[in-house]
Amino acid sequence: MAKRQLRCSLIIAVLIVSFTSLLASRQPHIVFILADDFGWNDVGYHSSEIRTPNLDKLSATGVRLENYYVQPLCTPSRNQLMTGRYQIHTGMQHQIIWPCQPYCVPLDEKLLPQLMKEAGYATHMVGKWHLGMYKKDCLPTRRGFDTYFGYLTGSEDYYTHVRCVPIHALNLTRCALDLREGEEVASGYKGDYSTELLSQRAISVIAKHDPNKPLFLYMALQAVHSPLQVPERYTAPYSFIKDHNRRLYAGMVSAMDEAVGNITLALHQAGLWDNTVLVFSTDNGGQTLTGGSNWPLRGRKWSLWEGGVRGVGFVSSPLLKQPGTISHELIHISDWLPTLVGLAGGSTNTTKPLDGFNVWNTISKGFASPRLELLHNIDPLYVDIAPCPGTERQLTLAQVVSGGSRANFGFNVSIHAAIRSSGWKLLTGYPGCDVWFPRPGCNSSESRPSKVAPLKPVMLFNIENDPEERNEVSAQFPAIVEYLLSRLHHHQQSASPIIFPDDDPRCDPGPSGAWGPWA
């Protein structure tokens, strides 16, 4: 009798192990690579003068997402990627998290890596966090990642990994290291170029990974955010680019492209590629002040024009049902959480209500997107902090709406906001710098048509037919304007109060410290 019970127990144990192994083999490895400030006109397959052979090849054998949207700034895109929720629903609809601000993504939000961990994944992050770090509970390793190597603020020196921050309450500017291994300061990497350092760490994670366990790797590159720094060997092929900033930027893009190629090669060498889904995305439009280009789209980073929010993105994987295709279906960065958790066989039942959709069938099989509407943002406190050519046009708009113009539909049209519904896009307030910045190497006459209509407090564009936002049609379609204003009002009703605290001078790490938690 005892032998029979032992035999049964062994059989059950074997079945459990076999089932677990079978489940793991069906769960794809997921690698998400997020570029920083990478513009629409900065990838080879968009006819850029910058060469990106690895991105071109991966996307050509995958699915290019040509109607894909991100947020116009770093923190908001990362926030929506990690929560699957619009930034109005997390109180983070205004700007970014600055280094001394005492807040982070609300701790009652369940993040993507936590859901992946629940689904049985090993979760690793390399690179830029920028979702808050004022206390330890905000750190990546407290929000679902098994391991972390990277920096916590929004930007830093590519070689020294130092970030300089003015602390006005103390009347000083503090320059301090921002690099972490887990939760500890990583001080031994001075002189290592960030793009290479971070990609080498990602390759190490892949090489050490147990192939029997599903992998989730979030690789948030520093490239190609300012400052413009890159080893000379990457700029050498771009001697034909006369603009100094653009030439340095091109070299940075090439370094990033090489890094993505090396990460992909590591997946092949580790035997993981055949069961991997690789996603590549920018976090926002290119910053024209530091070499980026979104031509022919209007605007840039910090704006709700297409140049600020239409993102370079693609999926590459042997698991795609229709590889080598281009998708024009509407997809947003908030869609990745339900999509990736769905691929992982996980559940989103424990999250707050999601704004994202599972778009895997849209990407893999070419089905219609379940997303029919996209709220770009509603930010009553918006200020464009960067200089914009023709800023007198913004003043004209301010005068138009200075009376607190309020539509009959309950939405204050002086507020910086934008919403997309099918092919239509409505913008209110001042959307940000509205220039068509010229194609690099061409003269500035391309940046504007011969006659530009003044900005209005409410503007409507048919984005499917007019992706460059040159033909404003609100007067011709008043019913659509009315409907979209009512939708903005609906979304504003569900918005959380804005979290944007004053700087806390206790953030100061001192002359020999490093940026990190202080509260």
Side-chain angles (χ1 to χ4, degrees):
M1 184 69 179
K3 288 184 178 179
R4 185 178 301 158
Q5 287 178 331
L6 178 61
R7 190 180 300 116
C8 289
S9 298
L10 288 171
I11 291 170
I12 292 170
V14 169
L15 287 173
I16 291 172
V17 171
S18 300
F19 177 77
T20 303
S21 299
L22 183 64
L23 181 63
S25 68
R26 288 203 306 265
Q27 291 175 288
H29 307 296
I30 296 171
V31 177
F32 196 106
I33 301 177
L34 189 68
D36 201 337
D37 289 6
F38 190 47
W40 184 260
N41 187 46
D42 298 333
V43 67
Y45 65 81
H46 283 166
S47 303
S48 175
E49 82 279 27
I50 301 175
R51 299 156 193 163
T52 55
N54 291 296
L55 299 182
D56 295 352
K57 181 180 178 181
L58 282 168
S59 63
T61 56
V63 178
R64 292 175 178 169
L65 308 176
E66 296 295 273
N67 196 13
Y68 171 59
Y69 286 86
V70 291
Q71 296 307 109
L73 286 170
C74 313
T75 297
S77 280
R78 293 158 207 273
N79 173 31
Q80 298 198 40
L81 168 65
M82 288 288 140
T83 64
R85 287 157 51 77
Y86 290 147
Q87 61 198 88
I88 64 163
H89 292 146
T90 57
M92 298 176 67
Q93 53 269 59
H94 182 61
Q95 284 199 16
I96 62 174
I97 298 178
W98 298 97
C100 287
Q101 285 186 296
Y103 78 114
C104 63
V105 177
L107 296 176
D108 60 353
E109 296 285 344
K110 202 161 193 179
L111 303 193
L112 174 59
Q114 293 171 293
L115 297 169
M116 299 299 283
K117 184 188 282 286
E118 289 177 358
Y121 276 67
T123 57
H124 303 278
M125 180 180 172
V126 177
K128 172 175 169 174
W129 179 235
H130 207 192
L131 289 176
M133 51 88 172
Y134 80 106
K135 60 182 181 180
K136 285 189 174 181
D137 283 347
C138 300
L139 298 179
T141 46
R142 306 286 178 102
R143 306 302 300 262
F145 286 107
D146 295 329
T147 69
Y148 172 66
F149 180 79
Y151 62 107
L152 300 172
T153 63
S155 63
E156 61 181 12
D157 189 281
Y158 277 74
Y159 292 98
T160 65
H161 316 294
V162 165
R163 171 68 187 264
C164 295
V165 177
I167 305 176
H168 300 294
L170 303 180
N171 196 30
L172 60 81
T173 294
R174 177 69 68 206
C175 295
L177 180 67
D178 182 12
L179 194 64
R180 297 262 163 174
E181 175 92 55
E183 297 181 9
E184 302 302 317
V185 175
S187 57
Y189 298 96
K190 185 176 182 180
D192 291 345
Y193 184 62
S194 169
T195 305
E196 296 170 343
L197 175 64
L198 297 178
S199 63
Q200 287 164 4
R201 177 53 62 99
I203 290 166
S204 175
V205 168
I206 292 166
K208 294 176 181 177
H209 180 70
D210 176 2
N212 294 315
K213 188 176 180 69
L215 166 69
F216 174 58
L217 171 61
Y218 172 43
M219 172 67 171
L221 288 156
Q222 181 174 355
V224 283
H225 196 291
S226 62
L228 297 177
Q229 296 173 306
V230 67
E232 188 176 350
R233 66 182 180 277
Y234 292 109
T235 60
Y238 296 110
S239 58
F240 65 92
I241 297 178
K242 303 307 177 188
D243 181 87
H244 177 69
N245 281 358
R246 183 66 174 173
R247 186 166 62 253
L248 287 174
Y249 181 90
M252 293 168 71
V253 172
S254 285
M256 178 186 72
D257 180 77
E258 182 183 277
V260 173
N262 290 338
I263 291 168
T264 308
L265 178 61
L267 291 165
H268 282 277
Q269 291 175 338
L272 304 181
W273 178 255
D274 288 344
N275 191 37
T276 291
V277 173
L278 185 147
V279 181
F280 178 90
S281 171
T282 186
D283 66 340
N284 46 249
Q287 177 52 275
T288 57
L289 295 168
T290 52
S293 173
N294 305 300
W295 177 262
L297 303 178
R298 189 177 191 176
R300 64 183 182 202
K301 177 181 178 179
W302 280 85
S303 84
L304 291 174
W305 301 105
E306 292 292 285
V309 296
R310 187 177 287 219
V312 175
F314 63 81
V315 177
S316 187
S317 172
L319 304 179
L320 292 165
K321 301 301 183 186
Q322 293 189 4
T325 57
I326 296 174
S327 173
H328 295 282
E329 294 296 316
L330 185 61
I331 296 173
H332 182 240
I333 195 166
S334 66
D335 297 331
W336 291 120
L337 182 143
T339 301
L340 300 182
V341 173
L343 269 175
S347 170
T348 59
N349 290 340
T350 56
T351 70
K352 292 188 176 184
L354 298 179
D355 296 302
F357 294 84
N358 186 334
V359 292
W360 180 247
N361 284 336
T362 301
I363 295 168
S364 179
K365 299 178 182 178
F367 288 8
S369 175
R371 177 178 287 283
L372 301 177
E373 180 183 274
L374 166 57
L375 177 68
H376 289 298
N377 197 22
I378 302 172
D379 179 7
L381 304 181
Y382 178 79
V383 176
D384 190 353
I385 65 172
C388 176
T391 50
E392 69 280 356
R393 288 162 48 74
Q394 179 180 353
L395 295 176
T396 301
L397 175 68
Q399 292 163 4
V400 169
V401 300
S402 62
S405 176
R406 188 175 294 274
N408 295 328
F409 322 109
F411 188 76
N412 185 342
V413 297
S414 69
I415 292 175
H416 168 91
I419 190 168
R420 173 82 179 267
S421 180
S422 297
W424 298 101
K425 178 180 178 184
L426 185 91
L427 302 102
T428 66
Y430 178 60
C433 190
D434 66 305
V435 174
W436 290 273
F437 290 91
R439 181 190 291 113
C442 299
N443 63 50
S444 60
S445 64
E446 280 189 318
S447 66
R448 292 188 183 275
S450 56
K451 185 177 180 181
V452 183
L455 297 180
K456 297 193 247 179
V458 177
M459 292 172 284
L460 180 71
F461 298 90
N462 186 326
I463 294 298
E464 285 187 357
N465 298 332
D466 179 26
E468 298 175 23
E469 296 170 298
R470 293 183 182 269
N471 186 26
E472 199 282 308
V473 293
S474 60
Q476 293 96 302
F477 298 95
I480 293 173
V481 170
E482 179 177 347
Y483 170 71
L484 292 178
L485 284 172
S486 73
R487 292 300 298 161
L488 283 175
H489 177 65
H490 167 79
H491 286 296
Q492 181 72 321
Q493 294 295 103
S494 69
S496 298
I498 293 174
I499 306 169
F500 197 74
D502 292 337
D503 284 355
D504 182 348
R506 294 181 298 164
C507 69
D508 183 16
S512 58
W515 295 110
W518 68 86

